[in-house]
Each structure stands twice: as structure tokens, then as C-alpha cells.
Amino acid sequence: MATNKKFKILFVTSELAPFVKTGGVADVSSALPQKLLELGHQVRIVLPKYGAIDERRFKIHEVVRLKDLKTEVNGEEIEFSMRSSFLVGKRARVQIYFLDNKHYFSGRHSVYTDPRTGEYYPDNDERFILLAKSVFKLIDKLGWVPDIIHCNDWQTALVPVYLKTIYKDNELLKNIKTVFTIHNLGYQGIFPKSSFAKTELPKKLNSEKGAIHKKKFNFMKIALKFADVITTVSETYAKDICTKEFGEGLESVICERKKDLVGILNGIDSRVWNPEKDKFIPKKYSIKSLKDKELNKIALAEKFGFEANGDTPVIGIISRLSAGKGFDLIKKAFKKMMKLNAKFVLLGTGEMKYLEFFEEAMVKYKNNFSCYLGFDEQLAHLIEAGSDMFLMPSKYEPCGLNQMYSLAYGTIPIVRRTGGLQDTVRDYSEGKNGNGFVFDEYDVDAMLKDIERAIELFTTDKKAWKKLMTAGMKSDHTWLNSAKKYINLYSKIS
Ligand code: GLC
């Protein structure tokens, strides 16, 4: 159904590229609003001003009427301001409002975890109660009333419930509709039951029927109950999360909302992730100049201190280091992986046990494996451009962006058949439809077999390999189609 209505959309998120990023939600939060603006809608973004965001570089400035705002969190009056800057795309300039409060956000460098302990900040509940509340103060002060508030992941999950309870009779706010997008059900924002008292929500929600789930206060659950519509980032994951296997304990809550749940596959930002235009890589290339990709392989090898060689593939991994992304498989298979005719490079950060494992592995297997355990956007581009293959053996995957970046860069993805990976990568055995290697079982041997299959083809059949590369590079994962699906959804609810 096509719609011509132009919407006012307030996009609330806890990460936004290039300002702050720990995962794919930052890329989506940047690309989707820009596309919506390009399509003629009014879009503004709300994001916390973490200490890690460089205010000079991004020209973040005060807005006089958005200074000295006040709200209550945990029974205390909190002062904050909304400062502003822009997300500058080629054709679109999306206005951003940064929630600035020194105690909760700008005084802390790290986004979610305390660098001294490696644990989540114990007051993350208060921090993201404040984020939700700040949204309503912002609208009130601006007098710019959105048709839709588009919320993302648990950090923004209280917006719908505030709207449907404490603001339900507010003349200014009562007609606003909410979309809640699940980027990852594995992170729900679970806190002790006592967190409820910090929210100012009506007491009747302090129960298993309301905000409490399995005796804990659960942010994600509240959004699942109160958002007008729920989306997730691929069609297969939308089906997956209604089952016990993938529902992360919330499957019954999700099932109740099944008719309001939609899967919309993420796109990729083709201005940022495009080998023909990529300003981070030493040599740009296209389908017509595939040879130039090899220069990136040489640069990548140099960076990681090994020699590039046409007969030995480089296999890249860029990921959050967590079990969900398949790292328990990689850890178990590692010894065998190191015996294969391949070089592995890894970029990522995450759980301590994996950081320790890879630090050791880098010394032990220095001829076959190298890694950078941190976050580095430029290096991510070099790995996508310089690798021959990309490994993504996720246990579950809401959408996954790196496999789509890999396809665009002619870097063959090796993935497990799940969620968004299933929706974007097709196995080599499917003939001319194939664009990668896909295994079914979440199992060490299945993964190893698939990696071996890829290496075998790479080393023995250059022609078939090139076909796979071009199939991927031709696939269209730009945001236009997906943005249109969101617009249709907005028009259904408002
Ligand atoms: C999360 C998911 C990933 C998805 C991204 C953006 O990081 O784990 O699969 O691509 O969000 O939606």
C-alpha cells in the first residue's frame, strides 16, 4: 500500500553512528532517519550525550529554550538539557537532540559498562528512565509534536508506556503513536523488582501482568506490551522470536502481540559501505575492477603483520564477542581452524572470557591469526575490503549487517542459517542464486566443514569464486525498500 502522507518522526536511540557505536543499532539509527528525511518526512533524533561523544568535532551546541529542563527519576529532581547537532548526509541533514546530564551521561566515557569493573553500570535503569522522560519534556518545549515516536531496543522501552499512562490525557501528546524496534532480544534491560519504584509508573503495573517478568523489572517487556506496533530487523527473526528457542523467555509476551509484529530487513548505507566510494580503504574497487580488491588484501596483511598470498584466503570476523554471535563455536573449533590453509583476522570487543582467549591465541598462533580487540571503524572497512571471506556463525541473528557489507565488498560470507543471515545469504549449492556458504546446525563440525568448503572452492576454482563475488556485489540491500516499509507501517497506525 503506497502512502503519500508525510510524517513527523522522532527517532529515539541509545547509539548513533558516527557519534557513538557498540553495535549495528548505531548504523541503523543513522541510515534509516536519513533515508526517511530524503523521502520527504520530518525526522529528528534523540540520543544521550555520553562522555565518549566528541562535542567539538561534532559541533554540539546549546539550545537556549532546551536548557535547565527538569524531571523526576527515583523520586529526585534531575536537571538536564537537550543540546543539538546534525547528522549530515549528502542530501539530508537530520537534527539530533543530545540528552545532556553530567551524572548519568556526559560525565561517563563508557556507554553501558563501568570500565573499572567491566560490569553494567548499576544505575542503567535510572539512566534510561531519564532518556524516556526527557523525550516528553523535549516535545513540550519544542512544540514540535511527532506523529510517531520510533523507539529502538530496551534503552528506549519506557517511551510507549509513559505515553499510554501518565500522558494519556495530555492534549499535546495523546495522539502520538509508537513503534518499537527489537534489534536484539538478548538484551532486555533486566533489573531488580525495586527498579519499578524509580519510574513513577502507575502502581497497577508493578506486577507480572505489567512491568515485572519472572520477578524482575524488565524494560523490553514493557515496550512489547505498550508499543502500538513492534518491529524486528528481519522477517525470519520476527518468526523466530515467537518460539521458545529464540524468544529469550519473552515468547509468550511476543505471541500475544503477534498481529502487531512485523519483520523489516535492515538496509545498508550505500554511501558509507560501498567499495567504489569507501574513503577508509587504500584502493577503491568495483565489479569491473576486482583485481584492485587484492591491493586491499595486501594492505590488510601488512596491518596485521602477515604476508598476503593469492592461494591463501584471508577470513575476516568483525563482531561483538559474545556467545550469541557464535564465539563459543569459534573457541571450540579454534585449534582446528588454525590448521586450515587460511589466515584469520578478528576485530571486536565484548565478553572478558573471549578477550582473554584471543589475546593468548594471537601469541600462540601468530602465523595464522591476528586481532584488534577494540572498536575501529576504519579497520572494519579495511577488513571488509581486504578479506576473501567473512565468518559469521551466529547462534541467532536479528539481522546482521556485516554479512551485507561483505556481500557488497565481494567478500564471501560463511554464515549459519538463522534470522537475518538466512534472509540475505544463499548457499553456493543454489547455483546462480548462491552468494555465500550457509550451514544449518549450530555445531563445531558443521561450521568447520563449511569453512573447508569455502577454502576448497577458493583454491581450486577461481572462476566459480569470481561468480560468487559478483553475485554478492550485485545484490541490492540499500535502505530505500525498507524505509518505504516503515512508512507504510507508520501510516497504518496513525
Ligand atoms: C543488533 C543485532 C544485529 C542487527 C543490529 C541492527 O546489533 O544483533 O543482528 O543487525 O542490531 O539492527
Side-chain angles (χ1 to χ4, degrees):
M1 181 189 63
T3 171
N4 293 323
K5 182 170 172 192
K6 298 295 177 207
F7 293 97
K8 286 191 203 160
I9 305 143
L10 187 62
F11 198 88
V12 188
T13 181
S14 68
E15 297 185 25
L16 178 65
F19 298 88
V20 60
K21 171 171 169 177
T22 76
V25 65
D27 292 2
V28 174
S29 299
S30 176
L32 175 59
Q34 290 187 61
K35 188 48 86 184
L36 292 169
L37 192 77
E38 268 178 46
L39 293 172
H41 303 275
Q42 289 187 38
V43 197
R44 301 185 187 186
I45 300 174
V46 176
L47 170 81
K49 163 69 186 70
Y50 307 100
I53 297 178
D54 184 340
E55 36 193 277
R56 288 218 183 120
R57 176 177 162 216
F58 293 116
K59 301 193 178 67
I60 299 173
H61 54 269
E62 303 278 352
V63 180
V64 177
R65 68 190 151 139
L66 300 179
K67 274 165 73 173
D68 305 322
L69 306 180
K70 292 186 184 68
T71 191
E72 266 198 17
V73 175
N74 196 16
E76 278 187 37
E77 192 173 73
I78 307 293
E79 282 188 24
F80 64 97
S81 65
M82 288 291 197
R83 296 164 76 202
S84 183
S85 179
F86 290 92
L87 192 58
V88 187
K90 220 174 205 157
R91 291 181 291 268
R93 224 168 106 87
V94 183
Q95 181 147 27
I96 309 164
Y97 294 104
F98 291 92
L99 159 58
D100 197 356
N101 169 281
K102 187 151 186 249
H103 172 66
Y104 286 121
F105 293 112
S106 49
R108 307 182 194 191
H109 189 79
S110 171
V111 179
Y112 307 124
T113 52
D114 187 336
R116 288 165 304 187
T117 59
E119 305 283 330
Y120 288 118
Y121 289 119
D123 60 355
N124 272 350
D125 53 350
E126 293 171 27
R127 299 172 78 215
F128 294 105
I129 290 170
L130 176 61
L131 177 62
K133 290 194 163 188
S134 74
V135 165
F136 301 103
K137 297 286 164 190
L138 172 75
I139 296 171
D140 184 42
K141 284 285 164 190
L142 280 180
W144 181 84
V145 185
D147 304 302
I148 305 285
I149 305 182
H150 190 147
C151 303
N152 296 276
D153 273 353
W154 76 262
Q155 293 87 347
T156 66
L158 297 189
V159 170
V161 70
Y162 282 137
L163 205 53
K164 292 261 167 81
T165 55
I166 51 183
Y167 293 115
K168 74 175 189 317
D169 299 319
N170 181 304
E171 278 306 316
L172 196 67
L173 305 171
K174 68 179 188 193
N175 293 324
I176 301 176
K177 300 290 189 244
T178 53
V179 174
F180 181 73
T181 298
I182 305 168
H183 294 267
N184 196 331
L185 204 56
Y187 301 86
Q188 296 176 7
I190 299 172
F191 295 89
K193 221 172 159 216
S194 54
S195 289
F196 183 87
K198 301 177 177 179
T199 60
E200 257 193 318
L201 284 171
K203 295 229 164 33
K204 69 168 196 289
L205 292 179
N206 192 4
S207 73
E208 291 284 334
K209 280 203 175 126
I212 307 301
H213 191 61
K214 300 183 177 159
K215 302 201 172 86
K216 303 268 190 198
F217 181 78
N218 187 312
F219 272 73
M220 179 78 86
K221 179 192 179 190
I222 307 169
L224 296 178
K225 281 189 127 9
F226 286 90
D228 290 301
V229 71
I230 302 161
T231 76
T232 188
V233 286
S234 68
E235 283 174 23
T236 297
Y237 192 60
K239 288 186 201 127
D240 286 349
I241 56 178
C242 298
T243 65
K244 197 165 187 298
E245 189 185 353
F246 294 99
E248 303 278 348
L250 284 174
E251 57 278 4
S252 56
V253 185
I254 295 168
C255 271
E256 274 170 36
R257 297 294 313 270
K258 217 168 173 173
K259 67 172 191 353
D260 304 314
L261 170 67
V262 187
I264 301 177
L265 190 72
N266 287 330
I268 65 174
D269 191 333
S270 55
R271 287 178 305 238
V272 181
W273 291 98
N274 179 347
E276 291 180 50
K277 295 187 182 151
D278 192 329
K279 57 180 191 301
F280 289 129
I281 60 175
K283 185 72 188 170
K284 300 183 184 40
Y285 61 97
S286 71
I287 289 192
K288 291 195 195 104
S289 56
L290 279 182
K291 271 241 148 278
D292 289 342
K293 181 169 164 61
E294 281 166 31
L295 298 174
N296 294 301
K297 182 170 174 179
I298 293 170
L300 178 65
E302 223 164 69
K303 181 111 193 162
F304 279 112
F306 60 85
E307 239 168 68
N309 151 354
D311 294 326
T312 307
V314 173
I315 305 183
I317 306 169
I318 306 171
S319 181
R320 190 165 47 235
L321 308 182
S322 67
K325 297 289 178 191
F327 279 90
D328 48 352
L329 277 195
I330 293 181
K331 202 166 158 228
K332 276 191 211 141
F334 209 71
K335 227 173 156 177
K336 289 190 178 155
M337 282 161 64
M338 292 301 104
K339 292 198 177 118
L340 299 172
N341 170 32
K343 307 272 184 201
F344 287 85
V345 294
L346 161 75
L347 167 66
T349 181
E351 289 172 28
M352 201 58 92
K353 62 175 178 192
Y354 299 118
L355 292 172
E356 284 168 2
F357 176 80
F358 288 121
E359 249 164 38
E360 260 179 46
M362 193 158 58
V363 180
K364 200 164 162 192
Y365 300 105
K366 63 176 185 302
N367 295 327
N368 299 68
F369 172 71
S370 195
C371 63
Y372 177 75
L373 299 175
F375 192 78
D376 183 331
E377 192 68 4
Q378 182 160 1
L379 187 55
H381 285 251
L382 182 60
I383 292 177
E384 286 293 4
S387 303
D388 297 293
M389 305 166 193
F390 191 90
L391 179 61
M392 218 165 155
S394 310
K395 186 163 197 177
Y396 71 97
E397 194 60 72
C399 174
L401 295 169
N402 282 305
Q403 85 281 13
M404 292 196 264
Y405 300 154
S406 298
L407 289 170
Y409 281 70
T411 303
I412 307 305
I414 305 170
V415 306
R416 193 173 94 82
R417 196 185 307 282
T418 183
L421 298 175
Q422 174 169 341
D423 294 353
T424 51
V425 184
R426 287 172 305 276
D427 191 71
Y428 170 61
S429 61
E430 289 186 31
K432 69 175 189 312
N433 282 331
N435 58 12
F437 292 87
V438 186
F439 63 98
D440 287 276
E441 292 304 312
Y442 188 69
D443 166 271
V444 170
D445 289 331
M447 178 183 79
L448 278 169
K449 235 167 110 188
D450 227 31
I451 301 176
E452 282 168 18
R453 217 158 55 99
I455 297 175
E456 167 81 15
L457 190 75
F458 178 87
T459 44
T460 58
D461 193 343
K462 292 282 178 230
K463 217 169 141 200
W465 192 261
K466 203 169 157 196
K467 262 197 192 150
L468 264 188
M469 288 171 78
T470 45
M473 292 174 90
K474 279 184 193 153
S475 50
D476 176 13
H477 289 120
T478 49
W479 264 104
L480 183 63
N481 285 337
S482 308
K484 284 185 180 163
K485 289 185 185 161
Y486 279 108
I487 294 164
N488 274 338
L489 199 64
Y490 300 156
S491 65
K492 275 188 194 146
I493 55 173
S494 69

